Amino acid sequence: MNRIELVVVGTVQGVGFRPFVRREASARGLSGFVRNSARGVHIQAQGEPAALDAFVRAVVAGPRPSGQGVAIDHLADRPLEAERGFAIVASERPVPTTATRASLPPDLAPCAACQGELAGAGRRHRYPFTSCTACGPRGSIALRAPWDRANTTMAGFTPCGACAAEYADPADHRSHAQTIACPACGPRLWLERAGAPGGPGIGPRIADGDAALAAAVAAITAGAIVAVKGVGGWQLVADATCEAAVAELRRRKHREARPFAVLFRDLEDVARACVLDAADRAALGDPAAPIVLLRARPASGLAASVAPTSRLTGAMLPASPLHALLVADAARPLVCTSGNLAGEPLCSDDDDARARLAQLADLWLGHDRPIGRPLDDSVVRPSPRGAVVVRRARGFAPRPLPRHEPGPTVLALGAHLKATVALAVADEIWLSAHVGDLDSPAAIDRLERTAREMLDAAGVSPAIVACDLHPGLASTALAERLARETGATLARIPHHAAHVAAVAAEHAITRPLLGLAWDGMGLGDDGALWGGEAIVLDGPRAERVAHLRPFPLPGNEAAIREPRRAALGLLAAAGLPRGPAAAWFSPAELAVVEAALARRVNTPITTSVGRLFDAVAALVGLRGRSRFEAEAAMELEQIALDEPVDVEPYPLPVGDGSPRVVDWGPLVVAIVADVGRGVPVARIAARFHAALGEAAASIVRLAEVRDVALCGGCFQNTRLLAAVTGRLEALGATVWTPRELPPGDGALAIGQALLASRRSRDVSRDPR
Ligand SMILES: [Zn+2]
Ligand SMILES: [Zn+2]
């Protein structure tokens, strides 16, 4: 007989891991115990050596949510103890230390068994809070580790006798389910109308329970907009097939054109509206239930206002039993969008929702289980290289990433767009859910609260606070303040180096890595707005080895919303006639912008590939003004959907010199000529994408690094991703793309943390 002690780290809490361990141990005649600890799952087991070996192998291969692995962190031989059987015992009390902490699991969409119970005749028939050890709310209701009901917003609901019996029954799929509940003892739905004009916030209660759901569905199918308390925040729900309802939702939300996400009942319903392949189906069926960007069918049955200019539909399957009941009862797809005004963070608090959604919703369908942490819906885009994570939130956060290069505790705050917070502690990196663009005081406040909550939860004070190089960002100001407050060192990390470093951090790449960091814009160390960079990351150093030929951007920030300005700047820099860009301006506007260009007033220089996309979209006549970030660039990609990938690229030569310059001059001349000849825009767009693939290949061929990272928001464009990857792999390069992280600014905090950490080690090695 032997006795061993294991600690299993990774996402092992809230996934039915302890009941699994007990089953595996009991089946092999082992005795001992399993419990949640602050570090993961703690096991002691004793029995015959062969049985113990088989048990350890089974534990390593244990339940893995969303493909996450588990690792046995610690293995010790212990003296034998006198005991019978194998038990699940109470959790260790959390001890705040800097040691590895148990990762709280992300929220999981209803499993097949629970869906069956919703539809069946049992006691959870149509109960919107049905969950089990394999599914249900997790990170959104967790207040602290470890994963025990007392540490969640379910703490106030005491299980009834029937639920307690299921909890205690090792054979039940709710054995030790922390979220166990039923209509007799669990959360309940309610439906409210807005308060009387001038009256207090809480309005008249209309209905409770199933009647609340029925009344909400009746209102939605009659064209109303209903605020629904979703998994990680309040959402606005409307009939996706009703043009009047969707158009009204756009008007109230002040959301002009950005596509709305659509909730479908099942895969068959999605397939009626969108083209689905195996990768799309896998992404939709992921337990994270993200919004999946899919190609819409021409006759999708959806209202035109769902996605006015996009050929893609953001589709999702129910993330909770409440969503499943809503969309099944409505018997049609539903627009399901975050409950906020454009530019504000979503509401997670009930009173906040009543107040802030007062002008947006007709009714409020809520319940009495508080949301512990706000989580937007996640967004993914399937690609031949696996799903690209566009927004990482519900279903992914708060699962941490392994930290492959240990170092000091670093808090990193990202930049401006798609802000997230990263906290690198011991051997893990915690990445907050998507906080959003820091355009409003509410969003900036949420960034600060998120950072403080993460420090609190980890019980640490940072040695380093990392931020962007740009001194004018709200995240930079917050970093400066937190560094002063905590006595931490401040590390200002260049934007595009951080993009490359994020890929290095995710894939544990310590050797030199050539990153193509192509995005909208970030401040470079020469004061220009970078975004078409090739950067070699080598330890703590980042060297810019190539970039896009610079061009002026008249109007600076205004150019982000006006691709016509980028087009004009491009033509001016090339010394070409302004015709193709001038068509987007009135004569008076044109005179003002030309004067600004001539005198370089409010006209920074940029090397951004994102702005090059904008400029080309304007030159080919697609769009002079974007109504949301990157609208023009997305249209340029989508118009080429039916074109082959292997079209002849436009010339986009890479010059000599250090750094090398990617000259868009010949490309612009060729595009203007093709526009003049009436070549179809789809063909021009396809050849433009191919040109960027060819330029990437030239950069890599000339560099001496064969590991290449593709990062920056431009690589959400799956056509660009395919064009570049295809050319690079043909050269024999190893291509690294973000997997768990978004390619865009949502990953910057992770890269900042890695670079700040590497720099601190470099300093300590070389005291000069
Ligand atoms: Zn379940
Ligand atoms: Zn119950």
Side-chain angles (χ1 to χ4, degrees):
M1 293 269 282
N2 284 349
R3 185 176 183 89
I4 56 168
E5 180 175 18
L6 321 172
V7 173
V8 188
V9 297
T11 305
V12 289
Q13 296 185 7
V15 294
F17 202 84
R18 288 175 301 167
F20 157 78
V21 167
R22 179 174 56 187
R23 273 196 308 278
E24 294 294 324
S26 302
R28 293 177 175 83
L30 304 178
S31 65
F33 67 84
V34 56
R35 68 182 170 199
N36 281 343
S37 78
R39 300 187 61 217
V41 166
H42 180 195
I43 302 168
Q44 287 193 21
Q46 71 183 23
E48 294 308 321
L52 283 172
D53 282 353
F55 170 69
V56 171
R57 279 197 300 276
V59 168
V60 170
R64 298 174 175 214
S66 302
Q68 290 298 294
V70 297
I72 291 192
D73 184 53
H74 170 74
L75 197 56
D77 292 317
R78 310 270 307 181
L80 294 177
E81 283 184 19
E83 68 193 345
R84 298 171 62 86
F86 198 93
I88 296 178
V89 300
S91 299
E92 288 170 6
R93 283 238 303 266
V95 184
T97 67
T98 56
T100 309
R101 234 154 301 276
S103 51
L104 284 172
D107 300 279
L108 303 165
C111 70
C114 286
Q115 296 226 25
E117 286 176 80
L118 279 186
R123 65 195 190 91
R124 292 190 179 85
H125 173 63
R126 292 185 58 80
Y127 181 55
F129 305 95
T130 298
S131 66
C132 71
T133 53
C135 74
R138 298 288 190 270
S140 65
I141 62 166
L143 301 171
R144 62 194 84 87
W147 175 248
D148 279 326
R149 189 178 182 108
N151 294 333
T152 72
T153 64
M154 286 288 287
F157 299 93
T158 306
C160 65
C163 284
E166 289 170 347
Y167 184 90
D169 177 2
D172 196 279
H173 77 123
R174 294 195 177 86
S175 166
H176 281 263
Q178 301 305 312
T179 56
I180 194 165
C182 75
C185 64
R188 277 179 72 80
L189 285 179
W190 47 255
L191 187 71
E192 285 180 7
R193 212 168 21 234
I202 299 179
R205 207 45 81 93
I206 298 170
D208 286 288
D210 210 35
L213 186 62
V217 167
I220 291 167
T221 53
I225 296 167
V226 176
V228 174
K229 189 174 181 179
V231 175
W234 282 81
Q235 296 169 314
L236 295 167
V237 174
D239 179 353
T241 64
C242 173
E243 176 58 26
V246 182
E248 175 64 12
L249 178 58
R250 282 207 176 277
R251 194 189 63 73
R252 292 189 195 174
K253 247 190 102 132
H254 302 299
R255 180 148 142 171
E256 221 179 337
R258 189 190 289 271
F260 282 134
V262 180
L263 172 66
F264 290 89
R265 179 172 45 189
D266 51 27
L267 277 173
E268 287 76 77
D269 275 8
V270 182
R272 270 189 273 282
C274 305
V275 182
L276 288 186
D277 66 14
D280 300 328
R281 287 172 188 272
L284 284 163
D286 189 287
I291 296 168
V292 183
L293 301 180
L294 300 170
R295 193 168 166 181
R297 291 188 187 280
S300 68
L302 301 177
S305 287
V306 167
T309 55
S310 179
R311 293 175 68 184
L312 302 180
T313 295
M316 68 175 146
L317 293 181
S320 78
L322 174 57
H323 290 91
L325 293 168
L326 261 179
V327 71
D329 290 1
R332 70 198 71 190
L334 301 174
V335 164
C336 191
T337 184
S338 53
N340 53 5
L341 275 174
E344 287 189 359
L346 87 169
C347 302
S348 58
D349 178 80
D350 294 351
D351 284 334
D352 198 28
R354 290 178 180 114
R356 281 169 59 201
L357 305 182
Q359 309 302 318
L360 278 73
D362 301 310
L363 292 169
W364 281 252
L365 179 65
H367 55 76
D368 52 1
R369 187 185 73 207
I371 293 171
R373 126 188 26 225
L375 285 165
D376 289 273
D377 288 324
S378 293
V379 182
V380 304
R381 182 152 189 208
S383 91
R385 291 183 62 82
V388 176
V389 177
V390 176
R391 185 203 285 161
R392 184 183 184 275
R394 179 183 53 72
F396 298 96
R399 189 168 56 214
L401 284 84
R403 187 187 194 188
H404 303 287
E405 300 177 38
T409 299
V410 186
L411 176 74
L413 298 179
H416 178 74
L417 295 175
K418 303 175 175 66
T420 53
V421 179
L423 180 62
V425 189
D427 57 1
E428 287 184 334
I429 311 175
W430 296 75
L431 182 65
S432 77
H434 168 88
V435 171
D437 301 346
L438 303 181
D439 288 322
S440 67
I444 295 165
D445 180 59
R446 190 165 144 198
L447 184 76
E448 174 163 2
R449 265 187 297 134
T450 301
R452 291 187 186 278
E453 280 167 14
M454 288 169 74
L455 290 171
D456 268 3
V460 296
S461 180
I464 302 172
V465 179
C467 62
D468 196 80
L469 198 61
H470 196 312
L473 303 182
S475 53
T476 303
L478 175 61
E480 288 165 349
R481 192 149 49 82
L482 289 175
R484 270 198 307 275
E485 203 177 284
T486 59
T489 310
L490 187 70
R492 299 177 196 273
I493 307 295
H495 191 104
H496 299 92
H499 270 310
V500 185
V503 178
E506 184 176 1
H507 294 291
I509 302 168
T510 49
R511 55 193 180 277
L513 177 66
L514 169 63
L516 300 180
W518 292 357
D519 68 357
M521 290 191 292
L523 187 66
D525 53 27
D526 59 356
L529 298 172
W530 292 11
E533 314 310 310
I535 288 171
V536 173
L537 195 67
D538 187 1
R541 281 166 294 280
E543 188 196 351
R544 188 192 200 196
V545 296
H547 60 78
L548 198 66
R549 175 179 161 191
F551 61 96
L553 201 59
N556 195 356
E557 303 265 297
I560 294 173
R561 288 297 178 104
E562 298 181 34
R564 58 183 189 166
R565 291 176 180 268
L568 203 69
L570 206 62
L571 294 177
L576 290 170
R578 308 289 203 271
W584 292 107
F585 292 89
S586 73
E589 287 173 331
L590 188 63
V592 171
V593 179
E594 283 284 6
L597 255 177
R599 303 206 312 272
R600 289 282 189 268
V601 176
N602 193 25
T603 297
I605 293 296
T606 187
T607 56
S608 160
V609 170
R611 296 288 90 80
L612 182 66
F613 263 90
D614 279 358
V616 170
L619 289 178
V620 300
L622 269 183
R623 183 160 295 280
R625 291 175 184 269
S626 287
R627 292 165 296 176
F628 57 90
E629 192 213 344
E631 183 183 24
M634 288 179 195
E635 278 183 291
L636 192 65
E637 176 197 357
Q638 289 171 24
I639 201 161
L641 270 174
D642 295 319
E643 292 289 315
V645 173
D646 56 351
V647 292
E648 195 201 337
Y650 285 122
L652 185 56
V654 179
D656 296 331
S658 181
R660 297 175 184 279
V661 173
V662 182
D663 184 8
W664 42 256
L667 171 128
V668 170
V669 170
I671 287 177
V672 170
D674 273 0
V675 171
R677 273 199 294 276
V679 174
V681 173
R683 176 48 59 103
I684 297 176
R687 293 188 64 194
F688 171 65
H689 282 82
L692 287 165
E694 196 56 42
S698 302
I699 293 167
V700 170
R701 205 183 299 114
L702 294 164
E704 281 168 15
V705 181
R706 283 294 172 269
D707 286 287
V708 184
L710 305 183
C711 48
C714 292
F715 285 105
Q716 284 175 22
N717 175 333
T718 51
R719 187 185 190 89
L720 179 68
L721 186 64
V724 172
T725 305
R727 294 292 297 116
L728 297 189
E729 288 183 341
L731 285 179
T734 306
V735 177
W736 300 94
T737 54
R739 309 294 304 193
E740 171 107 357
L741 298 176
D745 285 5
L748 280 178
I750 293 259
Q752 291 170 349
L754 177 73
L755 267 177
S757 186
R758 282 186 178 179
R759 282 181 177 183
S760 74
R761 270 182 301 156
D762 203 45
V763 169
S764 55
R765 267 205 307 272
D766 178 4
R768 285 171 305 166

